[in-house]
Amino acid sequence: MPSEKILSEKQAYVAALREKMMNSVAGVVVEYKGITVQDDTKLRAELREAGVEYAVVKNTMLRLAIKDSDLANMADALKGSTAIAISKEDPIAAARILNKFAEGSKNGFALKAGYMDGKVMSVDEVNAIAKLPDYKGMLSMFAGALTGTLSGLAVAMQAYADKQEEPAA
């Protein structure tokens, strides 16, 4: 039986983890086995730069953190070595970075599950989200669509104006 001090520390850790998850927009759970220290350092730096918090967690602690929440269905994926990436702002960043890393990994690093806006996502859903462009990419696509529409409208208006100026035959 753990001492009272250790038990209270674990309860505080679980409460802090739960709060981080509940106050985030998205998160991804991964199997991190087979990753080298060098690769882990690069991965953590890239995640940190994107505003994503990444940590290795014990499955038991993560199960307790999601217990009795909308994320409780994610408990089935908590087997083996587990790490979690939690994003407070960008809902796609963690999925995009970790998916890219998993695709390049040959040693067992893999996505297990994820969540977005309080809903659990399967590995396939996380992969689909990872393929979406980032915020800046979406804005540029939107701007391109608007520009195309406006230039098409301008050409149509000019053609109409030219037709109105033609003398009647």
Side-chain angles (χ1 to χ4, degrees):
M1 183 86 179
S3 71
E4 197 63 38
K5 179 183 176 194
I6 293 173
L7 187 59
S8 67
E9 287 174 357
K10 286 183 178 184
Q11 288 171 337
Y13 175 78
V14 167
L17 181 59
R18 181 181 179 95
E19 184 176 337
K20 283 180 193 176
M21 292 177 73
M22 296 307 144
N23 292 329
S24 65
V25 293
V28 178
V29 178
V30 296
E31 171 95 24
Y32 72 89
K33 75 177 178 188
I35 186 171
T36 65
V37 173
Q38 182 180 1
D39 288 342
D40 187 53
T41 303
K42 280 198 277 188
L43 177 63
R44 286 175 185 266
E46 190 174 352
L47 288 166
R48 194 171 26 257
E49 190 176 299
V52 177
E53 187 176 333
Y54 178 80
V56 173
V57 294
K58 290 187 174 186
N59 290 325
T60 305
M61 298 295 173
L62 191 50
R63 270 191 204 94
L64 289 170
I66 62 175
K67 185 179 177 184
D68 299 328
S69 74
D70 292 339
L71 305 178
N73 292 340
M74 199 165 49
D76 296 339
L78 303 180
K79 296 174 180 84
S81 56
T82 302
I84 186 166
I86 300 171
S87 181
K88 292 181 182 177
E89 296 173 9
D90 186 350
I92 301 173
R96 187 173 17 88
I97 294 167
L98 292 170
N99 184 56
K100 181 178 81 174
F101 189 83
E103 285 176 349
S105 175
K106 299 171 187 85
N107 298 328
F109 187 93
L111 304 178
K112 290 183 176 184
Y115 67 92
M116 184 181 289
D117 294 327
K119 294 185 180 40
V120 176
M121 297 186 305
S122 69
V123 173
D124 292 335
E125 291 171 320
V126 174
N127 286 331
I129 294 294
K131 305 282 190 243
L132 294 173
D134 63 355
Y135 182 71
K136 289 180 183 175
M138 284 188 191
L139 283 179
S140 66
M141 288 171 60
F142 179 67
L146 280 179
T147 303
T149 303
L150 290 176
S151 53
L153 178 64
V155 168
M157 289 175 64
Q158 185 62 46
Y160 181 77
D162 291 346
K163 188 173 184 176
Q164 293 299 325
E165 291 176 3
E166 290 178 4

